[in-house]
Amino acid sequence: MSESQVVEKPENKFLSFFHVRERGSKPSNEILGGLVTFLAMCYILPVNASILGSTGMNSLGVFASTAIVSAIVTLIMGLVANCPIALSAGMGLNAYLAYTVCGALGYSWQEALILLTITGIVFFIFSLTPIRRKIIEAFPEGLQSIISAGLGCFIAFVGLKGSGIIVASSGTLVTLGSLSDPAVLLSIGGILLVVILMNIRTKKGILSSLAVPLGMLSVALIGVIIRACGVDNANLPWADFSTNWGINGFTDVFLYGLLSDGQQNVVTGSAFWGLVADVFSKPASYVIIFSLIFVNLFDTTATLMAIGRGTTIFGADGKMKDNRAIVADATGALICAPMGTATVTSFVESTIGVKIGARTGLASVVTGCLFLLSAFIYPVFQLFTYSCVSCAALVVVGSMIFSSNLKSLHWDEAEIGFSAFITILMIVLTYSLTNGIGFGLIFYCVIMLARGKGKQVSWILYLISGAYLLSFALNEVLTKLA
């Protein structure tokens, strides 16, 4: 056996495990896709720590927990499901726990995590059945394209909002941010830089394929230089390398604080079971559990539908090939609360890696390893958690997803045209993929019935529409209870 054969054999085995060649990809696409996906979504680590920290949890502990759980579940998605989908704490669910369950309803953070544990167990068992797959497969191709287009619009809006290009307004809800703000100008410059790099023609298309990470790195470095020159702006990238190395505060949030040696989180075994009893004695707990299961079901299902259309999750017949991605996704809901963080779910930012060329679980393995590493070296990747840095990736990739899906729609069909309009509009205006899909689906079913085409709609879609109506009603009940 020659020396060249000895070198190639382990590489071939490695690539064959993920079926990289079979899926029309290559290692560089997978590694780059995993890296860019991480850079686009690592903001969730400090954001989730801040949100859950408002409940009394140790913020540094939540940061470490979120990083570790994100790593575990993303690695499972890559190694077991072989999908280029990254997972982390879901925005919306964490705010619901902090501001509604703990804030308005008065639950302690330990009680909130107990509720989340119950939800995770039920959701995981539910995901072992074919029900979630049947739900996904019931959506016709037109609705799937609408959801994907709405997803692209949503992540672009997230980038614009986070960077300050778009800000809240009491008169018009949203308006243009301050163009005199250095962070806003840097964000706009980053978008322009990525667009320019993507459209510069080179023989091998290197600049185009590396446009997003090069743009993000450039913005990060320029921001650091601007701050180093004396510009005092907290939204510009900066890193403090003197503190927060290693894992800090993890025992304060792990297992509901039972192992904590901190004063604010001490919970004895007997006190813990008392908390469990208190949770089950409150009528609002059952409404919360149902709401969490419902929201998690449609958040994760909608994300898998949107991301999956750019991967090999679905076969040529439009149906999911197996249940592995769903089970891997549900694992995040199962382990998140005992580990000390909010529900971990599939992230829409995964579409950025898919758009770059990632097609296998190798990309998720790269992202998962970076999440694990971030638990120990927060100061190093802190630069990429700034919104002005991730803005370009979110806006540019979001626009590509939006436009590529809209062109395949049959706009002359009323049920498609109006459903697309209302879905995308409500996704952005309610800042929720789930709410937008709910409104779009309800209007789709109503229009199909009005046009005498009701029998063409799967009974599952009618059932989901009814469930959405019930969910909206339950949210109002929780609001009244609060």
Side-chain angles (χ1 to χ4, degrees), residues 145-154 157 402 405-406 409 411 416-433 435-437 439-440:
S145 295
I146 290 170
I147 292 171
S148 294
L151 176 69
C153 194
F154 178 69
F157 185 72
F402 177 76
N405 281 282
L406 286 184
L409 296 180
W411 291 101
I416 293 296
F418 191 80
S419 295
F421 169 75
I422 199 69
T423 300
I424 295 169
L425 191 67
M426 293 303 289
I427 284 175
V428 174
L429 294 183
T430 66
Y431 208 70
S432 168
L433 191 67
N435 288 341
I437 293 173
F439 275 94

PDB file of all heavy atoms in Angstrom, residues 145-154 157 402 405-406 409 411 416-433 435-437 439-440:
ATOM      1  N   SER A 145     -42.999  26.841   0.874  1.00  0.00           N
ATOM      2  CA  SER A 145     -42.232  27.937   0.285  1.00  0.00           C
ATOM      3  C   SER A 145     -42.549  29.257   0.977  1.00  0.00           C
ATOM      4  O   SER A 145     -41.662  30.084   1.206  1.00  0.00           O
ATOM      5  CB  SER A 145     -42.532  28.054  -1.212  1.00  0.00           C
ATOM      6  OG  SER A 145     -42.089  26.919  -1.912  1.00  0.00           O
ATOM      7  N   ILE A 146     -43.819  29.465   1.315  1.00  0.00           N
ATOM      8  CA  ILE A 146     -44.230  30.678   2.018  1.00  0.00           C
ATOM      9  C   ILE A 146     -43.547  30.756   3.385  1.00  0.00           C
ATOM     10  O   ILE A 146     -43.035  31.807   3.793  1.00  0.00           O
ATOM     11  CB  ILE A 146     -45.762  30.717   2.177  1.00  0.00           C
ATOM     12  CG1 ILE A 146     -46.430  30.935   0.822  1.00  0.00           C
ATOM     13  CG2 ILE A 146     -46.176  31.819   3.151  1.00  0.00           C
ATOM     14  CD1 ILE A 146     -47.933  30.753   0.843  1.00  0.00           C
ATOM     15  N   ILE A 147     -43.529  29.631   4.103  1.00  0.00           N
ATOM     16  CA  ILE A 147     -42.891  29.596   5.422  1.00  0.00           C
ATOM     17  C   ILE A 147     -41.409  29.901   5.308  1.00  0.00           C
ATOM     18  O   ILE A 147     -40.842  30.675   6.094  1.00  0.00           O
ATOM     19  CB  ILE A 147     -43.122  28.230   6.090  1.00  0.00           C
ATOM     20  CG1 ILE A 147     -44.605  28.054   6.443  1.00  0.00           C
ATOM     21  CG2 ILE A 147     -42.258  28.079   7.344  1.00  0.00           C
ATOM     22  CD1 ILE A 147     -44.964  26.657   6.896  1.00  0.00           C
ATOM     23  N   SER A 148     -40.754  29.323   4.299  1.00  0.00           N
ATOM     24  CA  SER A 148     -39.323  29.572   4.110  1.00  0.00           C
ATOM     25  C   SER A 148     -39.068  31.037   3.773  1.00  0.00           C
ATOM     26  O   SER A 148     -38.113  31.643   4.266  1.00  0.00           O
ATOM     27  CB  SER A 148     -38.783  28.675   2.994  1.00  0.00           C
ATOM     28  OG  SER A 148     -38.838  27.319   3.365  1.00  0.00           O
ATOM     29  N   ALA A 149     -39.913  31.615   2.914  1.00  0.00           N
ATOM     30  CA  ALA A 149     -39.764  33.026   2.562  1.00  0.00           C
ATOM     31  C   ALA A 149     -39.970  33.911   3.800  1.00  0.00           C
ATOM     32  O   ALA A 149     -39.221  34.876   4.028  1.00  0.00           O
ATOM     33  CB  ALA A 149     -40.759  33.407   1.473  1.00  0.00           C
ATOM     34  N   GLY A 150     -40.985  33.581   4.603  1.00  0.00           N
ATOM     35  CA  GLY A 150     -41.216  34.320   5.832  1.00  0.00           C
ATOM     36  C   GLY A 150     -40.060  34.213   6.798  1.00  0.00           C
ATOM     37  O   GLY A 150     -39.697  35.177   7.484  1.00  0.00           O
ATOM     38  N   LEU A 151     -39.452  33.030   6.837  1.00  0.00           N
ATOM     39  CA  LEU A 151     -38.276  32.813   7.675  1.00  0.00           C
ATOM     40  C   LEU A 151     -37.136  33.730   7.255  1.00  0.00           C
ATOM     41  O   LEU A 151     -36.476  34.355   8.083  1.00  0.00           O
ATOM     42  CB  LEU A 151     -37.849  31.350   7.586  1.00  0.00           C
ATOM     43  CG  LEU A 151     -36.575  30.939   8.312  1.00  0.00           C
ATOM     44  CD1 LEU A 151     -36.776  31.010   9.812  1.00  0.00           C
ATOM     45  CD2 LEU A 151     -36.161  29.543   7.914  1.00  0.00           C
ATOM     46  N   GLY A 152     -36.908  33.827   5.932  1.00  0.00           N
ATOM     47  CA  GLY A 152     -35.852  34.702   5.439  1.00  0.00           C
ATOM     48  C   GLY A 152     -36.102  36.153   5.804  1.00  0.00           C
ATOM     49  O   GLY A 152     -35.188  36.871   6.227  1.00  0.00           O
ATOM     50  N   CYS A 153     -37.344  36.589   5.647  1.00  0.00           N
ATOM     51  CA  CYS A 153     -37.705  37.960   6.002  1.00  0.00           C
ATOM     52  C   CYS A 153     -37.524  38.205   7.501  1.00  0.00           C
ATOM     53  O   CYS A 153     -37.056  39.264   7.929  1.00  0.00           O
ATOM     54  CB  CYS A 153     -39.149  38.215   5.589  1.00  0.00           C
ATOM     55  SG  CYS A 153     -39.637  39.956   5.584  1.00  0.00           S
ATOM     56  N   PHE A 154     -37.869  37.206   8.288  1.00  0.00           N
ATOM     57  CA  PHE A 154     -37.778  37.334   9.742  1.00  0.00           C
ATOM     58  C   PHE A 154     -36.337  37.485  10.214  1.00  0.00           C
ATOM     59  O   PHE A 154     -36.025  38.368  11.014  1.00  0.00           O
ATOM     60  CB  PHE A 154     -38.417  36.111  10.394  1.00  0.00           C
ATOM     61  CG  PHE A 154     -38.340  36.115  11.903  1.00  0.00           C
ATOM     62  CD1 PHE A 154     -39.053  37.018  12.660  1.00  0.00           C
ATOM     63  CD2 PHE A 154     -37.532  35.198  12.563  1.00  0.00           C
ATOM     64  CE1 PHE A 154     -38.982  37.021  14.036  1.00  0.00           C
ATOM     65  CE2 PHE A 154     -37.447  35.187  13.944  1.00  0.00           C
ATOM     66  CZ  PHE A 154     -38.175  36.107  14.680  1.00  0.00           C
ATOM     67  N   PHE A 157     -35.029  40.838   9.426  1.00  0.00           N
ATOM     68  CA  PHE A 157     -35.580  41.834  10.341  1.00  0.00           C
ATOM     69  C   PHE A 157     -34.894  41.760  11.707  1.00  0.00           C
ATOM     70  O   PHE A 157     -34.641  42.789  12.337  1.00  0.00           O
ATOM     71  CB  PHE A 157     -37.093  41.629  10.496  1.00  0.00           C
ATOM     72  CG  PHE A 157     -37.764  42.676  11.331  1.00  0.00           C
ATOM     73  CD1 PHE A 157     -37.943  43.959  10.847  1.00  0.00           C
ATOM     74  CD2 PHE A 157     -38.203  42.387  12.610  1.00  0.00           C
ATOM     75  CE1 PHE A 157     -38.561  44.940  11.623  1.00  0.00           C
ATOM     76  CE2 PHE A 157     -38.818  43.357  13.395  1.00  0.00           C
ATOM     77  CZ  PHE A 157     -39.000  44.639  12.891  1.00  0.00           C
ATOM     78  N   PHE A 402     -35.483  34.651   1.240  1.00  0.00           N
ATOM     79  CA  PHE A 402     -36.768  35.278   0.920  1.00  0.00           C
ATOM     80  C   PHE A 402     -37.036  35.255  -0.583  1.00  0.00           C
ATOM     81  O   PHE A 402     -38.074  34.766  -1.050  1.00  0.00           O
ATOM     82  CB  PHE A 402     -36.754  36.716   1.444  1.00  0.00           C
ATOM     83  CG  PHE A 402     -37.983  37.516   1.129  1.00  0.00           C
ATOM     84  CD1 PHE A 402     -39.161  37.306   1.823  1.00  0.00           C
ATOM     85  CD2 PHE A 402     -37.956  38.493   0.142  1.00  0.00           C
ATOM     86  CE1 PHE A 402     -40.297  38.051   1.543  1.00  0.00           C
ATOM     87  CE2 PHE A 402     -39.086  39.237  -0.144  1.00  0.00           C
ATOM     88  CZ  PHE A 402     -40.258  39.022   0.560  1.00  0.00           C
ATOM     89  N   ASN A 405     -37.406  31.668  -2.489  1.00  0.00           N
ATOM     90  CA  ASN A 405     -38.636  30.910  -2.249  1.00  0.00           C
ATOM     91  C   ASN A 405     -39.868  31.568  -2.869  1.00  0.00           C
ATOM     92  O   ASN A 405     -40.795  30.875  -3.280  1.00  0.00           O
ATOM     93  CB  ASN A 405     -38.852  30.718  -0.746  1.00  0.00           C
ATOM     94  CG  ASN A 405     -38.001  29.612  -0.172  1.00  0.00           C
ATOM     95  OD1 ASN A 405     -38.309  28.430  -0.319  1.00  0.00           O
ATOM     96  ND2 ASN A 405     -36.902  29.980   0.470  1.00  0.00           N
ATOM     97  N   LEU A 406     -39.881  32.886  -2.953  1.00  0.00           N
ATOM     98  CA  LEU A 406     -41.050  33.572  -3.489  1.00  0.00           C
ATOM     99  C   LEU A 406     -41.230  33.336  -4.983  1.00  0.00           C
ATOM    100  O   LEU A 406     -42.351  33.316  -5.490  1.00  0.00           O
ATOM    101  CB  LEU A 406     -40.949  35.072  -3.219  1.00  0.00           C
ATOM    102  CG  LEU A 406     -41.201  35.536  -1.788  1.00  0.00           C
ATOM    103  CD1 LEU A 406     -41.148  37.055  -1.714  1.00  0.00           C
ATOM    104  CD2 LEU A 406     -42.543  35.044  -1.278  1.00  0.00           C
ATOM    105  N   LEU A 409     -43.738  30.540  -6.193  1.00  0.00           N
ATOM    106  CA  LEU A 409     -45.150  30.551  -5.809  1.00  0.00           C
ATOM    107  C   LEU A 409     -46.057  30.867  -7.008  1.00  0.00           C
ATOM    108  O   LEU A 409     -45.676  31.622  -7.909  1.00  0.00           O
ATOM    109  CB  LEU A 409     -45.396  31.581  -4.712  1.00  0.00           C
ATOM    110  CG  LEU A 409     -44.695  31.338  -3.374  1.00  0.00           C
ATOM    111  CD1 LEU A 409     -45.043  32.459  -2.398  1.00  0.00           C
ATOM    112  CD2 LEU A 409     -45.084  30.000  -2.782  1.00  0.00           C
ATOM    113  N   TRP A 411     -48.677  32.973  -7.820  1.00  0.00           N
ATOM    114  CA  TRP A 411     -49.302  34.171  -7.273  1.00  0.00           C
ATOM    115  C   TRP A 411     -50.728  34.394  -7.769  1.00  0.00           C
ATOM    116  O   TRP A 411     -51.494  35.144  -7.161  1.00  0.00           O
ATOM    117  CB  TRP A 411     -48.448  35.397  -7.594  1.00  0.00           C
ATOM    118  CG  TRP A 411     -47.148  35.398  -6.857  1.00  0.00           C
ATOM    119  CD1 TRP A 411     -45.927  35.044  -7.335  1.00  0.00           C
ATOM    120  CD2 TRP A 411     -46.942  35.759  -5.488  1.00  0.00           C
ATOM    121  NE1 TRP A 411     -44.960  35.154  -6.363  1.00  0.00           N
ATOM    122  CE2 TRP A 411     -45.559  35.606  -5.218  1.00  0.00           C
ATOM    123  CE3 TRP A 411     -47.778  36.207  -4.464  1.00  0.00           C
ATOM    124  CZ2 TRP A 411     -45.008  35.872  -3.974  1.00  0.00           C
ATOM    125  CZ3 TRP A 411     -47.221  36.477  -3.223  1.00  0.00           C
ATOM    126  CH2 TRP A 411     -45.858  36.315  -2.986  1.00  0.00           C
ATOM    127  N   ILE A 416     -52.808  31.184  -2.262  1.00  0.00           N
ATOM    128  CA  ILE A 416     -51.356  31.284  -2.141  1.00  0.00           C
ATOM    129  C   ILE A 416     -50.939  32.736  -1.961  1.00  0.00           C
ATOM    130  O   ILE A 416     -50.169  33.082  -1.058  1.00  0.00           O
ATOM    131  CB  ILE A 416     -50.654  30.675  -3.376  1.00  0.00           C
ATOM    132  CG1 ILE A 416     -50.878  29.161  -3.427  1.00  0.00           C
ATOM    133  CG2 ILE A 416     -49.160  31.003  -3.359  1.00  0.00           C
ATOM    134  CD1 ILE A 416     -50.273  28.398  -2.260  1.00  0.00           C
ATOM    135  N   GLY A 417     -51.458  33.627  -2.830  1.00  0.00           N
ATOM    136  CA  GLY A 417     -51.066  35.034  -2.786  1.00  0.00           C
ATOM    137  C   GLY A 417     -51.384  35.695  -1.456  1.00  0.00           C
ATOM    138  O   GLY A 417     -50.518  36.334  -0.846  1.00  0.00           O
ATOM    139  N   PHE A 418     -52.622  35.530  -0.985  1.00  0.00           N
ATOM    140  CA  PHE A 418     -52.995  36.197   0.268  1.00  0.00           C
ATOM    141  C   PHE A 418     -52.343  35.520   1.466  1.00  0.00           C
ATOM    142  O   PHE A 418     -51.933  36.204   2.418  1.00  0.00           O
ATOM    143  CB  PHE A 418     -54.514  36.211   0.446  1.00  0.00           C
ATOM    144  CG  PHE A 418     -54.960  37.094   1.568  1.00  0.00           C
ATOM    145  CD1 PHE A 418     -55.054  38.469   1.386  1.00  0.00           C
ATOM    146  CD2 PHE A 418     -55.241  36.578   2.824  1.00  0.00           C
ATOM    147  CE1 PHE A 418     -55.441  39.300   2.427  1.00  0.00           C
ATOM    148  CE2 PHE A 418     -55.630  37.406   3.866  1.00  0.00           C
ATOM    149  CZ  PHE A 418     -55.734  38.769   3.665  1.00  0.00           C
ATOM    150  N   SER A 419     -52.228  34.183   1.447  1.00  0.00           N
ATOM    151  CA  SER A 419     -51.581  33.477   2.561  1.00  0.00           C
ATOM    152  C   SER A 419     -50.124  33.885   2.692  1.00  0.00           C
ATOM    153  O   SER A 419     -49.609  34.046   3.799  1.00  0.00           O
ATOM    154  CB  SER A 419     -51.698  31.963   2.364  1.00  0.00           C
ATOM    155  OG  SER A 419     -53.036  31.546   2.414  1.00  0.00           O
ATOM    156  N   ALA A 420     -49.456  34.063   1.545  1.00  0.00           N
ATOM    157  CA  ALA A 420     -48.060  34.504   1.569  1.00  0.00           C
ATOM    158  C   ALA A 420     -47.962  35.896   2.180  1.00  0.00           C
ATOM    159  O   ALA A 420     -47.101  36.165   3.041  1.00  0.00           O
ATOM    160  CB  ALA A 420     -47.482  34.504   0.157  1.00  0.00           C
ATOM    161  N   PHE A 421     -48.849  36.779   1.754  1.00  0.00           N
ATOM    162  CA  PHE A 421     -48.849  38.158   2.259  1.00  0.00           C
ATOM    163  C   PHE A 421     -49.068  38.197   3.768  1.00  0.00           C
ATOM    164  O   PHE A 421     -48.293  38.814   4.508  1.00  0.00           O
ATOM    165  CB  PHE A 421     -49.937  38.955   1.535  1.00  0.00           C
ATOM    166  CG  PHE A 421     -50.206  40.300   2.153  1.00  0.00           C
ATOM    167  CD1 PHE A 421     -49.330  41.352   1.980  1.00  0.00           C
ATOM    168  CD2 PHE A 421     -51.348  40.507   2.924  1.00  0.00           C
ATOM    169  CE1 PHE A 421     -49.582  42.591   2.552  1.00  0.00           C
ATOM    170  CE2 PHE A 421     -51.610  41.739   3.510  1.00  0.00           C
ATOM    171  CZ  PHE A 421     -50.718  42.785   3.316  1.00  0.00           C
ATOM    172  N   ILE A 422     -50.124  37.538   4.244  1.00  0.00           N
ATOM    173  CA  ILE A 422     -50.475  37.616   5.672  1.00  0.00           C
ATOM    174  C   ILE A 422     -49.461  36.876   6.531  1.00  0.00           C
ATOM    175  O   ILE A 422     -49.132  37.306   7.639  1.00  0.00           O
ATOM    176  CB  ILE A 422     -51.912  37.083   5.920  1.00  0.00           C
ATOM    177  CG1 ILE A 422     -52.445  37.592   7.265  1.00  0.00           C
ATOM    178  CG2 ILE A 422     -51.969  35.568   5.860  1.00  0.00           C
ATOM    179  CD1 ILE A 422     -52.724  39.060   7.294  1.00  0.00           C
ATOM    180  N   THR A 423     -48.920  35.758   6.018  1.00  0.00           N
ATOM    181  CA  THR A 423     -47.930  34.997   6.788  1.00  0.00           C
ATOM    182  C   THR A 423     -46.669  35.815   7.024  1.00  0.00           C
ATOM    183  O   THR A 423     -46.197  35.961   8.157  1.00  0.00           O
ATOM    184  CB  THR A 423     -47.566  33.687   6.063  1.00  0.00           C
ATOM    185  OG1 THR A 423     -48.731  32.885   5.912  1.00  0.00           O
ATOM    186  CG2 THR A 423     -46.511  32.911   6.839  1.00  0.00           C
ATOM    187  N   ILE A 424     -46.121  36.352   5.942  1.00  0.00           N
ATOM    188  CA  ILE A 424     -44.871  37.113   6.045  1.00  0.00           C
ATOM    189  C   ILE A 424     -45.068  38.374   6.880  1.00  0.00           C
ATOM    190  O   ILE A 424     -44.234  38.720   7.725  1.00  0.00           O
ATOM    191  CB  ILE A 424     -44.346  37.452   4.633  1.00  0.00           C
ATOM    192  CG1 ILE A 424     -43.957  36.161   3.899  1.00  0.00           C
ATOM    193  CG2 ILE A 424     -43.151  38.403   4.711  1.00  0.00           C
ATOM    194  CD1 ILE A 424     -43.679  36.355   2.427  1.00  0.00           C
ATOM    195  N   LEU A 425     -46.199  39.052   6.653  1.00  0.00           N
ATOM    196  CA  LEU A 425     -46.480  40.276   7.404  1.00  0.00           C
ATOM    197  C   LEU A 425     -46.585  39.996   8.902  1.00  0.00           C
ATOM    198  O   LEU A 425     -45.990  40.701   9.728  1.00  0.00           O
ATOM    199  CB  LEU A 425     -47.784  40.898   6.891  1.00  0.00           C
ATOM    200  CG  LEU A 425     -48.115  42.310   7.374  1.00  0.00           C
ATOM    201  CD1 LEU A 425     -47.109  43.309   6.810  1.00  0.00           C
ATOM    202  CD2 LEU A 425     -49.529  42.697   6.955  1.00  0.00           C
ATOM    203  N   MET A 426     -47.308  38.948   9.271  1.00  0.00           N
ATOM    204  CA  MET A 426     -47.517  38.648  10.686  1.00  0.00           C
ATOM    205  C   MET A 426     -46.263  38.073  11.343  1.00  0.00           C
ATOM    206  O   MET A 426     -46.043  38.278  12.541  1.00  0.00           O
ATOM    207  CB  MET A 426     -48.691  37.682  10.847  1.00  0.00           C
ATOM    208  CG  MET A 426     -50.043  38.282  10.464  1.00  0.00           C
ATOM    209  SD  MET A 426     -50.438  39.792  11.386  1.00  0.00           S
ATOM    210  CE  MET A 426     -50.757  39.105  13.018  1.00  0.00           C
ATOM    211  N   ILE A 427     -45.442  37.357  10.596  1.00  0.00           N
ATOM    212  CA  ILE A 427     -44.177  36.867  11.150  1.00  0.00           C
ATOM    213  C   ILE A 427     -43.322  38.045  11.603  1.00  0.00           C
ATOM    214  O   ILE A 427     -42.758  38.053  12.700  1.00  0.00           O
ATOM    215  CB  ILE A 427     -43.411  36.012  10.110  1.00  0.00           C
ATOM    216  CG1 ILE A 427     -44.044  34.631   9.984  1.00  0.00           C
ATOM    217  CG2 ILE A 427     -41.938  35.871  10.507  1.00  0.00           C
ATOM    218  CD1 ILE A 427     -43.424  33.771   8.889  1.00  0.00           C
ATOM    219  N   VAL A 428     -43.243  39.063  10.760  1.00  0.00           N
ATOM    220  CA  VAL A 428     -42.406  40.228  11.073  1.00  0.00           C
ATOM    221  C   VAL A 428     -43.047  41.102  12.155  1.00  0.00           C
ATOM    222  O   VAL A 428     -42.396  41.470  13.127  1.00  0.00           O
ATOM    223  CB  VAL A 428     -42.148  41.063   9.801  1.00  0.00           C
ATOM    224  CG1 VAL A 428     -41.402  42.347  10.150  1.00  0.00           C
ATOM    225  CG2 VAL A 428     -41.340  40.257   8.797  1.00  0.00           C
ATOM    226  N   LEU A 429     -44.331  41.405  12.001  1.00  0.00           N
ATOM    227  CA  LEU A 429     -44.973  42.340  12.920  1.00  0.00           C
ATOM    228  C   LEU A 429     -45.211  41.767  14.309  1.00  0.00           C
ATOM    229  O   LEU A 429     -45.249  42.517  15.291  1.00  0.00           O
ATOM    230  CB  LEU A 429     -46.294  42.833  12.327  1.00  0.00           C
ATOM    231  CG  LEU A 429     -46.179  43.692  11.057  1.00  0.00           C
ATOM    232  CD1 LEU A 429     -47.552  44.177  10.609  1.00  0.00           C
ATOM    233  CD2 LEU A 429     -45.246  44.876  11.282  1.00  0.00           C
ATOM    234  N   THR A 430     -45.398  40.444  14.412  1.00  0.00           N
ATOM    235  CA  THR A 430     -45.557  39.836  15.738  1.00  0.00           C
ATOM    236  C   THR A 430     -44.238  39.289  16.262  1.00  0.00           C
ATOM    237  O   THR A 430     -44.173  38.783  17.375  1.00  0.00           O
ATOM    238  CB  THR A 430     -46.591  38.688  15.708  1.00  0.00           C
ATOM    239  OG1 THR A 430     -46.092  37.610  14.887  1.00  0.00           O
ATOM    240  CG2 THR A 430     -47.918  39.164  15.161  1.00  0.00           C
ATOM    241  N   TYR A 431     -43.190  39.398  15.443  1.00  0.00           N
ATOM    242  CA  TYR A 431     -41.849  38.922  15.811  1.00  0.00           C
ATOM    243  C   TYR A 431     -41.889  37.446  16.213  1.00  0.00           C
ATOM    244  O   TYR A 431     -41.261  37.013  17.162  1.00  0.00           O
ATOM    245  CB  TYR A 431     -41.281  39.764  16.956  1.00  0.00           C
ATOM    246  CG  TYR A 431     -39.770  39.841  16.958  1.00  0.00           C
ATOM    247  CD1 TYR A 431     -39.099  40.550  15.970  1.00  0.00           C
ATOM    248  CD2 TYR A 431     -39.021  39.232  17.945  1.00  0.00           C
ATOM    249  CE1 TYR A 431     -37.717  40.633  15.968  1.00  0.00           C
ATOM    250  CE2 TYR A 431     -37.635  39.305  17.953  1.00  0.00           C
ATOM    251  CZ  TYR A 431     -36.987  40.008  16.965  1.00  0.00           C
ATOM    252  OH  TYR A 431     -35.620  40.075  16.963  1.00  0.00           O
ATOM    253  N   SER A 432     -42.669  36.661  15.443  1.00  0.00           N
ATOM    254  CA  SER A 432     -42.839  35.245  15.791  1.00  0.00           C
ATOM    255  C   SER A 432     -43.133  34.432  14.542  1.00  0.00           C
ATOM    256  O   SER A 432     -44.121  34.680  13.846  1.00  0.00           O
ATOM    257  CB  SER A 432     -43.969  35.079  16.806  1.00  0.00           C
ATOM    258  OG  SER A 432     -44.335  33.722  16.941  1.00  0.00           O
ATOM    259  N   LEU A 433     -42.289  33.457  14.273  1.00  0.00           N
ATOM    260  CA  LEU A 433     -42.523  32.542  13.162  1.00  0.00           C
ATOM    261  C   LEU A 433     -43.808  31.757  13.403  1.00  0.00           C
ATOM    262  O   LEU A 433     -44.609  31.541  12.493  1.00  0.00           O
ATOM    263  CB  LEU A 433     -41.332  31.580  13.040  1.00  0.00           C
ATOM    264  CG  LEU A 433     -41.252  30.702  11.795  1.00  0.00           C
ATOM    265  CD1 LEU A 433     -41.016  31.539  10.554  1.00  0.00           C
ATOM    266  CD2 LEU A 433     -40.166  29.656  11.957  1.00  0.00           C
ATOM    267  N   ASN A 435     -46.565  32.572  15.234  1.00  0.00           N
ATOM    268  CA  ASN A 435     -47.777  33.384  15.054  1.00  0.00           C
ATOM    269  C   ASN A 435     -48.068  33.618  13.576  1.00  0.00           C
ATOM    270  O   ASN A 435     -49.221  33.552  13.132  1.00  0.00           O
ATOM    271  CB  ASN A 435     -47.640  34.720  15.778  1.00  0.00           C
ATOM    272  CG  ASN A 435     -47.727  34.581  17.275  1.00  0.00           C
ATOM    273  OD1 ASN A 435     -48.227  33.587  17.792  1.00  0.00           O
ATOM    274  ND2 ASN A 435     -47.222  35.562  17.995  1.00  0.00           N
ATOM    275  N   GLY A 436     -47.032  33.927  12.808  1.00  0.00           N
ATOM    276  CA  GLY A 436     -47.214  34.183  11.386  1.00  0.00           C
ATOM    277  C   GLY A 436     -47.757  32.976  10.643  1.00  0.00           C
ATOM    278  O   GLY A 436     -48.674  33.095   9.815  1.00  0.00           O
ATOM    279  N   ILE A 437     -47.207  31.814  10.947  1.00  0.00           N
ATOM    280  CA  ILE A 437     -47.684  30.587  10.312  1.00  0.00           C
ATOM    281  C   ILE A 437     -49.120  30.305  10.723  1.00  0.00           C
ATOM    282  O   ILE A 437     -49.943  29.866   9.908  1.00  0.00           O
ATOM    283  CB  ILE A 437     -46.772  29.404  10.676  1.00  0.00           C
ATOM    284  CG1 ILE A 437     -45.386  29.608  10.055  1.00  0.00           C
ATOM    285  CG2 ILE A 437     -47.367  28.071  10.202  1.00  0.00           C
ATOM    286  CD1 ILE A 437     -44.367  28.587  10.495  1.00  0.00           C
ATOM    287  N   PHE A 439     -51.558  32.462  11.566  1.00  0.00           N
ATOM    288  CA  PHE A 439     -52.472  33.332  10.830  1.00  0.00           C
ATOM    289  C   PHE A 439     -52.540  32.943   9.358  1.00  0.00           C
ATOM    290  O   PHE A 439     -53.621  32.885   8.759  1.00  0.00           O
ATOM    291  CB  PHE A 439     -52.040  34.798  10.969  1.00  0.00           C
ATOM    292  CG  PHE A 439     -52.553  35.460  12.206  1.00  0.00           C
ATOM    293  CD1 PHE A 439     -51.774  35.506  13.357  1.00  0.00           C
ATOM    294  CD2 PHE A 439     -53.805  36.041  12.220  1.00  0.00           C
ATOM    295  CE1 PHE A 439     -52.243  36.117  14.510  1.00  0.00           C
ATOM    296  CE2 PHE A 439     -54.285  36.667  13.366  1.00  0.00           C
ATOM    297  CZ  PHE A 439     -53.505  36.697  14.519  1.00  0.00           C
ATOM    298  N   GLY A 440     -51.385  32.668   8.764  1.00  0.00           N
ATOM    299  CA  GLY A 440     -51.353  32.295   7.357  1.00  0.00           C
ATOM    300  C   GLY A 440     -52.116  31.013   7.081  1.00  0.00           C
ATOM    301  O   GLY A 440     -52.852  30.914   6.087  1.00  0.00           O
TER     302      GLY A 440
END
